[in-house]
């Protein structure tokens, strides 16, 4: 392993440069690079704009990173061929980026890489500055002053992605931003300000500041800073709220009081700014701004998770880092769109599984009010794929945790850290030692937040000491073990660190609606009735029930908010062309699946939900299950005006009776379960729970026309209705601008719908839609088995819809053609 030469260890969120007339510090995004994947003597270079994911343009191929592995959770004991496991895209291999930047010998320069996939080796004017293997972390290096001999320097970044280094699509290249920071030689190093709020009351909050200072590449000791003070250097930090200074702290370390603090919460994401200036006499020589929030957190067995003294449960989702058709390349508007969709569903938290997030995501979560669990690792020193991070863990975990925590510990939205996901060490002799070491480091860097761990080996960790050693025990799935965990673990709290993993395809409905484990069909789709799961996973109701009925549960993070590239279970074993997930509540084209409204009906407590499925285009006489997800207490189903009865939700007590085989008048029947073997880890489906959260009419005879649900309020009065009509032949295309209200800066999401002459969505339409015009960026349709390129301006509709992502400013200047 090459040694890291100058590492970035100092973090928090650096926002800016400066408010003086001539900026004393600039943070320039290095956008323009040349790139080659060619290792030949005369490589072919192309100009690229960063963030850049070299693999997203494809082509898809079954042979890309074909993995022969045992997936224990699939119940396998022999290796099998996993196709599309890391997305079926050509992300493996070497890449080389080059750029040249202007420099000034009077200044000091730092390069900050928000993430580079992967094994990055950075050279300046031919000298190696830093090596950083983990593709998700932020790292930096200096442009050593002695390397500046002219007015520019050459920067070269060499990357290498090894086959079988990931269980999902990692992306490839400089997929996050690269910053060139120009500062005075005496400066606050990148991410060098630590802000804490140790006391918070209604009347006042204490804010403490700890600033690191550097002279060139030398980190300055306290003594040295004191000497500089004698030479006229001083540090001052102003605390600002909405642009007004509300407190000032003099010196490198200090404390101030902010009166009547405006607290941060998801409902009111209020942010303060700490503006730190380094002064020489009266001149400002460096200035950095860091945002932070004032809020309190606590996790106790008596009150569970409390934010600002109020108990709440996480209504969270896990997400991977890719942005569907945009690949891993970071786009702030895409992240903003994701958060806005999740918030409308009532979601208030994101787990960054299983790696460090892009800084833009954390910034947006701060601003938009989304809580976060930040998790760095999917493995420790025992791997899940041949070339994964386990190879680097022993040498790099300290550096990786340090950079990550320093980077994000000032951010108001971060509620906890996670030390890892389903690491094998849970059941290995060194597990307790490693988890303790990690937790110690997290706490040393940040004593203000707890550390969880996503454990899937519940039956072991409850009794082997590992679960007891994890500060905040997180269970991945294993709903059948929660009570055992609560009774045996000393913490007396359980977090659903990863839940559900229900599989479904948007708009594809398999009849009859039967609960099924690992169901596969010839069309490579899973049922939109949201009744299918994998051997290790379950249905949303199992988690709703645990969260609703036990005050020692802390909330949950559903796997996943959005579909992602790779891991196409249950079509992962030689089932090409499936290459993206079926787990998402929202599909790869950012279109909600029906499950979105099921979660919304439970989580969004502000807005009413009434949603009915499936579509209404069947064959005469078909028996069709109809499901309704709603916040109203009851609803009645009509087909062409004929009532099929009014249903209400079952109470908790009634679900017990349903489980005993009783039918209850006015309550949905319990759905059937396909033959199924309860796996050893003990999550079995609980069909009796569905009538508590869904209204379900099974076997409704289909007649063309319209299907309506009428929802009633608690007094039995009609409150809302929703109708689905039988669609005729495809007639034209409708367009919906999906992220318009979010004021995008660069990217617009356009949903294209194939509709009949009356505007009804044609639910089976799969026409090829062509886009002609400028500004095309990417397209997707949410079909995990579709091999259409994301980067060509055409896409097949899937279940009548697809999404085009366009550069802002292109509205109205294009044509869509249906073929
Ligand atoms: C979990 C794992 C996730 C993902 C998920 C699929 O066990 O932590 O990364 O693989 O299963 O259901």
């Amino acid at each position: 392993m090459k040694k890291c030469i100058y590492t970035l260890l100092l973090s928090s969120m650096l926002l800016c440069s400066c408010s003086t007339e001539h900026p004393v510090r600039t943070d320039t995004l290095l956008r323009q690079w040349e790139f080659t994947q060619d290792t030949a003597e005369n490589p072919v270079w192309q100009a690229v704009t960063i963030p850049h994911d070299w693999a997203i343009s494809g082509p898809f191929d079954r042979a890309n990173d074909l993995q022969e592995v045992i997936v224990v959770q699939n119940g396998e004991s022999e290796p099998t061929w996993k196709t599309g496991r890391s997305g079926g895209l050509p992300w493996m291999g070497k890449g080389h980026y080059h750029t040249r930047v202007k420099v000034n010998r009077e200044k000091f320069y730092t390069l900050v890489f928000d993430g580079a996939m992967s094994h990055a080796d950075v050279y300046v004017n031919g000298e190696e500055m830093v090596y950083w293997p983990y593709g998700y972390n932020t790292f930096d290096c200096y442009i050593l002053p002695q390397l500046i001999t002219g007015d520019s320097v050459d920067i070269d970044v060499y990357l290498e992605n090894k086959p079988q280094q990931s269980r999902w699509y990692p992306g490839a290249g400089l997929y996050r931003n690269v910053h060139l920071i120009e500062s005075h030689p005496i400066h606050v190093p990148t991410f060098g300000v630590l802000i804490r709020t140790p006391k918070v009351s209604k009347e006042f909050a204490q804010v403490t500041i700890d600033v690191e200072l550097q002279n060139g590449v030398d980190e300055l000791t306290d003594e040295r800073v004191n000497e500089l003070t004698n030479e006229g250097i001083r540090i001052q930090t102003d605390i600002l709220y909405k642009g007004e200074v509300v407190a000032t702290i003099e010196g490198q370390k200090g404390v101030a009081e902010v009166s009547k603090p405006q607290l941060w919460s998801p409902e009111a994401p209020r942010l303060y700014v700490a503006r730190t200036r380094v002064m020489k006499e009266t001149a400002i020589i460096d200035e950095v701004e860091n945002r932070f929030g004032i809020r309190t957190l606590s996790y106790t067995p008596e009150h569970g998770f409390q934010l600002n003294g109020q108990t709440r449960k996480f209504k969270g989702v896990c997400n991977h880092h890719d942005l569907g058709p945009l690949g891993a390349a970071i786009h702030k508007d895409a992240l903003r769109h994701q958060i806005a969709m999740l918030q409308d569903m009532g979601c208030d938290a994101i787990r960054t599984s299983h790696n460090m997030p892009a800084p833009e995501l954390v910034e947006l979560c701060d601003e938009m009010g989304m809580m976060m669990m930040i998790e760095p690792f999917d493995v420790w020193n025992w791997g899940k794929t041949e070339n994964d991070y386990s190879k680097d863990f022993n040498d790099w975990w300290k550096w990786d945790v340090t950079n990550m925590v320093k980077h994000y510990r000032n951010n108001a939205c971060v509620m906890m850290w996670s030390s890892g996901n389903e690491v094998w060490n849970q059941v290995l002799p060194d597990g307790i030692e490693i988890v303790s070491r990690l937790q110690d480091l997290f706490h040393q860097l940040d004593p203000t937040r707890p550390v969880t761990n996503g454990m899937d080996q519940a039956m072991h960790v409850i009794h082997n000491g590992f679960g007891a050693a994890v500060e905040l025990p997180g269970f991945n799935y294993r709903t059948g073990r929660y009570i055992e965990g609560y009774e045996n673990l000393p913490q007396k709290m359980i977090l659903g660190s990863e839940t559900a993993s229900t599989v479904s395809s948007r708009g594809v409905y398999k009849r009859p609606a039967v609960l099924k484990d690992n169901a596969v069909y010839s069309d490579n789709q899973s049922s939109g009735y949201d009744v299918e799961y994998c051997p290790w996973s379950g249905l949303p109701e199992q988690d709703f029930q645990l969260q609703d009925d036990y005050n020692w549960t802390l909330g949950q993070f559903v796997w996943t908010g959005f579909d992602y590239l790779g891991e196409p279970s249950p079509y992962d074993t030689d089932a090409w062309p499936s290459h993206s997930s079926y787990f998402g509540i929202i599909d790869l084209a950012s279109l909600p699946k029906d499950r979105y409204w099921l979660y919304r009906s439970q989580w969004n407590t502000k807005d009413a939900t009434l949603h009915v499925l499936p579509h209404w285009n069947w064959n005469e006489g078909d028996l069709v299950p109809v499901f309704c997800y709603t916040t109203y207490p009851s609803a009645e189903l009509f087909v062409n005006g004929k009532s099929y009865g009014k249903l209400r939700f079952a109470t908790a007590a009634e679900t017990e009776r349903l489980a005993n085989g009783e039918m209850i008048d006015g309550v949905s029947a319990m759905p059937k379960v396909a033959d199924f073997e309860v796996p050893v880890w003990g999550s079995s489906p609980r069909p009796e729970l569905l009538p508590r959260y869904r209204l379900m009419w099974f076997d409704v005879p289909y007649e063309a026309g319209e299907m309506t649900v009428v929802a009633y309020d608690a007094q039995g009065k009609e409150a809302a209705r929703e109708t689905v009509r039988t669609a005729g032949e495809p007639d034209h295309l409708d367009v919906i601008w999906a992220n318009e209200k979010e004021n995008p800066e660069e990217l617009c999401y356009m949903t294209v719908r194939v509709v009949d002459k009356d505007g009804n969505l044609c639910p089976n339409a799969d026409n090829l839609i062509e886009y002609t015009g400028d500004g095309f960026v990417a397209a997707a349709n949410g079909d995990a088995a579709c091999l259409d390129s994301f980067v060509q301006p055409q896409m097949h509709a899937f279940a009548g819809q697809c999404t085009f992502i366009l550069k802002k400013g292109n509205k109205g200047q294009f044509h869509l053609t249906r073929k």
Side-chain angles (χ1 to χ4, degrees):
M1 184 195 70
K2 285 182 195 158
K3 271 271 168 273
C4 161
I5 298 170
Y6 288 100
T7 53
L8 168 73
L9 290 176
L10 313 160
S11 46
S12 88
M13 188 148 298
L14 183 110
L15 285 177
C16 100
S17 41
C18 205
S19 55
T20 49
E21 258 174 46
H22 303 290
V24 290
R25 159 188 289 254
T26 54
D27 176 345
T28 309
L29 295 184
L30 299 182
R31 305 294 299 263
Q32 305 312 323
W33 295 68
E34 290 170 297
F35 167 68
T36 180
Q37 263 192 284
D38 220 325
T39 47
E41 232 169 67
N42 295 313
V44 180
W45 290 90
Q46 69 182 99
V48 295
T49 302
I50 303 298
H52 172 241
D53 178 347
W54 83 55
I56 196 61
S57 47
F60 290 108
D61 197 319
R62 180 182 184 276
N64 280 330
D65 196 35
L66 193 58
Q67 301 189 4
E68 194 182 16
V69 281
I70 303 174
V71 175
V72 179
Q73 289 185 322
N74 283 0
E76 293 170 355
S77 48
E78 294 295 320
T80 54
W81 288 108
K82 294 290 172 303
T83 45
R85 193 176 193 211
S86 58
L89 287 163
W91 54 264
M92 305 76 60
K94 293 186 177 177
H96 176 185
Y97 290 82
H98 169 264
T99 193
R100 178 167 295 165
V101 295
K102 286 233 165 308
V103 285
N104 168 353
R105 297 189 69 177
E106 304 300 305
K107 299 286 187 181
F108 186 76
Y109 293 92
T110 310
L111 288 168
V112 180
F113 294 83
D114 288 348
M117 190 62 70
S118 61
H119 302 92
D121 223 344
V122 180
Y123 284 73
V124 174
N125 277 355
E127 293 277 334
E128 189 188 22
M129 293 289 104
V130 64
Y131 167 70
W132 203 281
Y134 201 31
Y136 296 101
N137 213 350
T138 298
F139 60 93
D140 83 345
C141 65
Y142 308 125
I143 295 182
L144 293 179
Q146 59 267 34
L147 294 177
I148 303 179
T149 50
D151 62 359
S152 65
V153 293
D154 286 307
I155 302 170
D156 288 280
V157 182
Y158 298 89
L159 300 170
E160 181 175 5
N161 290 329
K162 304 178 181 170
Q164 305 214 25
Q165 81 177 33
S166 184
R167 295 193 295 122
W168 56 85
Y169 178 69
L174 291 178
Y175 72 111
R176 289 182 180 166
N177 278 309
V178 181
H179 306 248
L180 176 71
I181 313 283
E182 181 188 87
S183 67
H184 189 280
I186 297 181
H187 66 284
V188 178
T190 323
F191 313 133
V193 178
L194 167 61
I195 307 159
R196 284 192 188 136
T197 56
K199 280 198 185 138
V200 179
S201 70
K202 264 202 178 128
E203 285 66 45
F204 77 95
Q206 257 183 8
V207 180
T208 68
I209 294 286
D210 193 338
V211 182
E212 298 181 34
L213 205 59
Q214 240 174 255
N215 190 359
V217 300
D218 298 327
E219 291 171 23
L220 297 178
T221 57
D222 287 2
E223 295 80 61
R224 199 46 203 121
V225 173
N226 281 338
E227 283 168 34
L228 285 175
T229 312
N230 298 334
E231 292 164 25
I233 299 282
R234 64 189 181 86
I235 299 174
Q236 177 185 310
T237 301
D238 289 324
I239 307 298
L240 293 96
Y241 185 66
K242 294 191 174 165
E244 299 287 317
V245 176
V246 294
T248 297
I249 299 169
E250 293 290 341
Q252 197 187 4
K253 293 186 183 42
V255 55
E257 279 187 8
V258 169
S259 69
K260 303 245 174 317
Q262 302 294 308
L263 302 189
W264 185 95
S265 69
E267 293 69 33
R270 302 184 184 112
L271 294 170
Y272 286 77
V273 170
R275 184 181 62 202
T276 302
R277 284 175 168 167
V278 182
M279 325 273 285
K280 183 160 190 184
E281 311 296 350
T282 54
I284 302 169
I285 59 168
D286 193 24
E287 177 174 311
V288 290
E289 289 190 355
N290 287 271
R291 279 196 319 202
F292 68 101
I294 301 177
R295 80 284 183 278
T296 61
L297 302 181
S298 65
Y299 298 80
T300 58
E302 298 74 46
H303 305 294
F305 165 53
Q306 289 200 322
L307 178 66
N308 300 329
Q310 302 287 319
T311 297
R312 58 192 297 156
K313 296 198 181 199
F314 292 100
K315 303 175 195 173
V317 297
C318 308
N319 273 339
H320 269 316
H321 69 308
D322 76 66
L323 295 168
L326 297 167
I330 200 69
H331 288 274
K332 208 165 173 183
D333 282 334
L335 292 168
R336 189 182 285 114
H337 186 41
Q338 289 199 333
I339 296 173
M341 287 187 78
L342 292 171
Q343 285 184 324
D344 178 60
M345 188 173 78
C347 168
D348 63 10
I350 293 176
R351 170 186 185 224
T352 68
S353 40
H354 311 291
N355 34 254
M356 297 83 176
E360 289 84 353
L361 176 61
V362 189
E363 277 168 39
L364 285 167
C365 287
D366 262 357
E367 285 165 22
M368 295 172 78
M370 186 59 98
M371 298 184 284
M372 294 188 91
M373 175 211 295
I374 297 189
E375 174 176 82
F377 306 129
D378 188 44
V379 290
W380 292 345
N381 56 13
W382 199 271
K384 295 181 185 170
T385 55
E386 199 177 324
N387 288 314
D388 63 18
Y389 183 73
S390 61
K391 295 265 187 294
D392 293 310
F393 179 82
N394 287 339
D395 292 320
W396 283 89
W397 66 273
K398 263 190 209 157
W399 302 95
D400 275 317
V401 169
T402 303
N403 271 20
M404 182 188 86
V405 175
K406 285 194 159 187
H407 199 167
Y408 299 120
R409 64 187 171 178
N410 290 339
N411 290 91
C413 63
V414 182
M415 297 289 134
M416 66 177 87
W417 309 104
S418 161
S419 60
N421 174 64
E422 299 185 359
V423 292
W424 288 125
N425 305 71
Q426 293 165 91
V427 294
L428 299 177
D430 62 358
I432 297 175
E433 197 254 311
I434 300 183
V435 80
S436 309
R437 256 200 277 143
L438 279 159
Q439 284 177 178
D440 287 350
L441 180 59
F442 274 104
H443 287 151
Q444 187 188 319
L445 297 161
D446 177 20
T448 71
R449 296 175 178 88
V451 186
T452 186
N453 185 285
M455 301 178 286
D456 65 329
Q457 299 297 316
M459 62 182 179
H460 299 296
V461 299
I462 291 171
H463 306 288
N464 72 1
F466 187 90
V470 169
E471 187 181 6
L472 202 63
F475 276 16
N476 284 10
Y477 313 101
R478 317 300 179 249
T479 49
R481 301 267 180 187
Y482 269 52
I483 292 175
E484 185 188 341
Y486 168 69
E487 286 173 351
N488 288 280
L489 292 174
Q491 301 89 333
K492 296 285 168 223
M493 292 178 276
I494 292 184
L495 174 71
S497 40
E498 193 173 308
T499 61
S501 268
T502 306
V503 287
S504 62
S505 305
R506 172 182 53 78
V508 177
Y509 304 96
K510 306 291 183 190
R511 293 175 304 120
V514 172
L515 270 55
K516 278 189 192 155
D517 161 38
N518 233 10
V520 289
Y521 306 89
S522 58
D523 61 356
N524 280 40
Q525 304 300 338
S526 296
S527 179
Y529 283 112
D530 287 312
V531 288
E532 296 176 356
Y533 40 88
C534 295
W536 60 90
S537 64
L539 298 180
E541 283 76 5
Q542 289 162 255
D543 303 297
F544 289 151
Q545 187 257 339
L546 287 168
Q547 301 303 328
D548 287 348
D549 292 354
Y550 299 103
N551 54 16
W552 43 265
T553 53
L554 299 173
Q556 61 160 323
F557 290 83
V558 178
W559 191 266
T560 47
F562 281 75
D563 270 327
Y564 52 94
L565 292 163
E567 212 184 22
S569 310
Y571 297 100
D572 59 341
T573 307
D574 225 347
W576 187 257
S578 291
H579 57 274
S580 59
S581 74
Y582 296 76
F583 298 116
I585 297 171
I586 300 167
D587 76 12
L588 207 70
S590 295
L591 299 173
K593 302 181 188 173
D594 292 291
R595 218 174 337 141
Y596 181 89
W597 285 278
L598 177 58
Y599 282 101
R600 193 179 193 273
S601 71
Q602 299 305 311
W603 284 0
N604 182 334
T605 48
K606 279 195 331 259
D607 310 301
T609 296
L610 178 62
H611 179 74
V612 63
L613 59 140
H615 58 72
W616 210 238
N617 274 59
W618 301 94
N619 297 317
E620 289 298 319
D622 280 351
L623 293 178
V624 183
V626 174
F627 287 11
C628 171
Y629 304 148
T630 183
T631 35
Y632 296 105
S634 63
E636 186 168 1
L637 172 69
F638 297 89
V639 175
N640 293 335
K642 177 177 174 209
S643 173
Y644 283 84
K646 190 169 165 178
L647 292 174
R648 64 171 173 84
F649 294 104
T651 62
E654 283 170 338
T655 60
E656 300 303 318
R657 290 169 50 197
L658 289 167
N660 290 333
E662 256 185 73
M663 293 290 284
I664 301 173
D665 217 23
V667 164
S668 312
M670 192 171 78
K672 294 195 173 60
V673 183
D675 278 350
F676 167 81
E677 221 176 278
V678 179
V680 59
W681 43 75
S683 297
S684 49
R686 296 191 56 195
E688 75 276 13
L689 295 179
L690 271 67
R692 186 170 163 189
Y693 298 97
R694 310 185 194 199
L695 303 177
M696 297 172 290
W697 294 262
F698 294 99
D699 299 336
V700 178
Y702 172 75
E703 281 169 25
E706 57 179 44
M707 180 259 279
T708 300
V709 279
V710 177
Y712 301 102
D713 64 17
Q715 285 69 46
K717 286 221 322 260
E718 177 175 339
R721 59 173 58 209
E722 180 83 11
T723 296
V724 184
R725 294 189 176 81
T726 305
E729 287 303 304
D731 181 77
H732 60 279
L733 301 174
D734 257 2
V735 159
I736 297 172
W737 296 98
N739 67 337
E740 201 164 37
K741 286 201 197 117
E742 297 150 26
N743 287 323
E745 288 160 14
E746 287 177 1
L747 295 185
C748 294
Y749 277 66
M750 177 175 77
T751 311
V752 179
R753 295 156 53 90
V754 182
V755 295
D756 72 3
K757 65 179 178 21
D758 301 317
N760 298 307
L761 177 74
C762 299
N764 301 313
D766 57 1
N767 307 72
L768 182 68
I769 316 290
E770 278 182 359
Y771 175 93
T772 338
D774 292 336
F776 170 82
V777 178
N781 62 14
D783 174 0
C786 171
L787 296 179
D788 288 0
S789 163
F790 295 132
V791 300
Q792 295 301 320
Q794 57 175 38
M795 183 55 54
H796 282 94
F798 175 58
Q801 303 188 68
C802 62
T803 296
F804 285 83
I805 304 175
L806 308 172
K807 287 220 174 84
K808 193 176 167 170
N810 256 62
K811 275 168 72 171
Q813 297 161 23
F814 60 85
H815 293 286
L816 290 171
T817 321
R818 174 172 52 93
K819 293 198 164 166

